[in-house]
Amino acid sequence: MTLRLEDLDEAVAAMLQRLPPALHIGAPLGLGKPHRLLNALYERVAADPARPMTLYTALSLDPPRAPPGLARRFMAPFAERQFGAGFPRLAYVDALRRDALPAHVSVEEFYLQSGAMLGSAQAQRRYASLNYTHVARALADRGVNCIVQKVAANDDVSRLSLSSNTDLTFDAVDAIVAAGHPRPLLVAEIDPHLPWLDGTAVVDADWFDLVIAPPGPHPKLFALPRQPVGDAEHAIGLYASALVRDGGTLQIGIGALADALCHALALRHVDNAAYRRVLHALDPTLEAHPAVKASGGLEPFEQGLYGCSEMINEGFRRLVEAGVLRRKVVDKASLMQRVNDGSASPLDLELLERDGQFLHGAFYLGSQAFYDWLHGLDDATRRGIGMKRVSEVNELYGLDEGLERLQRRDGRFFNTCMMATALGAAVSDGLEDGRVVSGVGGQYNFVAMAHALPGGRSALLLRATRESGGEAESNIRWNYGHTTIPRHLRDLYITEYGIADLRGQPDEDCVIAMAGITDARFASQLLDTARRERKLRGDFAMPAAWSAHTRERLADTLAPFRRDGTLPDYPLGSDFAEVEQRLVRALAWLQARTGSRRGKLETVAAALAYRDAAADDEALARMDLAAPRGIGARIEARLLRLALARTRASG
């Protein structure tokens, strides 16, 4: 019989009474993690060495922590508004950051908040490198005896929706039982802010053993701030959008590159003339690019796309609203076959329209505006979204492979990486010293699926350069001491300088293609290395057009479209006020110029000498620097004035 409680401490006591001394707790990644319950459990267990606990989870979301200085002046007020003053930070995350977990408590994650735990020995030691689809099996191997999850409830709390996280809970329970272990204790914490999603996300309340409904006030949902999209991101998104075929299938990741891609796809559909003007400015020959001709297109979406992605995010909302995401699929292979081959009857099409869904995902995460959109869905749109197990979304095998192949026609799988090698390997989740930045998640799943599906393509998106210590470095390397995607799975790579199609190509052709999307400052060195390592013929001459692969040339090319609003800074909306958007540009300008000691000294000197008759008083006031007190604050004010002036024209 399901136990229902309101008090978190009582709930923890009930859990401990029902569980063996050694606790093996599973918790969903991201939004489905019940922060308040986990904090109450951690507080109790951390003080009791007789109750050892291992927590198995991923993506433990923690509001940003800015270092002292201008970043903190900007971030502190924004974070309070974005997350709420009472947002419950996860206590175990704070302990992990300080390497302060008690000896009898361990946290094992298979995906880390990007870059957040590079300095934590405890987090790095207990990181588990797993494909997303292998996690349920690993939980069974570890003998997980309890799963806790945040849920939404209907009015009488007779039904609960797993809402944001159908990804692993069902798979994990099945795997644990199949391995011969007892069914884990299932604990639900109801959150009234969590949007209700129906269908396969919903269970009877008594599916859980313990249902907790803590009294209010309820903390805000963790909302990801939407990041600005720069020239490089817009260019990458535009190139990527030309590889999508009408009537196909779309998977995307998260972040500014995914935002840019979704904006480009929407632009392609709703203002095709503007879309083609931007693409022509970027590359007048793009329509003739072999990969675009063979795999993509530039026309509006007459049939629409079907979304099938482990994560549903802000970009999918934009595509639904723009009418791009509307190709429906059903869970009936014979009907999908008839739809695909054009033999569907009027009755078939009626059933497809009535019962079909245009978006499948395993979890969702986004901004507060995104959550508001999910809350406010009309019935037809809500029925068109299906939350699935990750085993249904991220791979073809194990459930109904034939059906999924029919649904996922012309699949396009877009993910990001940090670096790529000239021979086609990708570096997405870790550093060559062994430290983990994030995790492989579902990336390998989708790359492999693209190769397994007829007509499928994988495209890895990356910026051509990065700043390190105030100096530019190429993200296209000859080699690197860590690999996420091996080179034998090479397919499409996209930077702000174009598309490299590596699928099935010999090494020399891969080298040339990758050098062709490299920043001009680094292409010659890459080619020289390839010659030295016998991967490139000695007489290969670098095309003159590659010399235009510079950020300055890109900025000039896109400037008219930035000014007229075709390529906005925040194409999917912004969580920043107007003054904060100006500050984001200014702070980014400062960061780029103060990464090295020399750059910092030169920038401070320029700021001290600068006199601005038209200071942005609103921005200075927002940073509490309208009347700076003390030498440090006065220097910060000078730096900010300079940065605001330098970025005023570009804004």
Side-chain angles (χ1 to χ4, degrees), residues 306-325:
Y306 157 58
C308 187
S309 189
E310 67 183 22
M311 182 174 67
I312 300 175
N313 58 27
E314 211 80 40
F316 284 113
R317 171 197 173 193
R318 178 73 180 101
L319 296 178
V320 171
E321 293 177 331
V324 173
L325 211 65

Side-chain angles (χ1 to χ4, degrees), residues 188-208:
E189 179 187 320
I190 295 172
D191 188 336
H193 293 319
L194 202 63
W196 176 273
L197 290 178
D198 221 317
T200 53
V202 176
V203 296
D204 291 333
D206 61 9
W207 189 76
F208 285 92

Side-chain angles (χ1 to χ4, degrees), residues 95 181 258 261 263 325 351 386 410 466 584 611:
H181 302 301
L261 168 57
H263 174 68
L325 211 65
L351 292 173
D410 292 321
R466 70 174 65 196
V584 166
R611 296 295 182 268

Side-chain angles (χ1 to χ4, degrees), residues 601-611 631 634-636 638-639 642:
L601 291 173
E602 289 177 348
T603 306
V604 170
L608 293 175
Y610 181 70
R611 296 295 182 268
I631 184 65
R634 287 197 289 272
I635 291 174
E636 288 178 353
R638 292 276 191 177
L639 286 167
L642 176 66

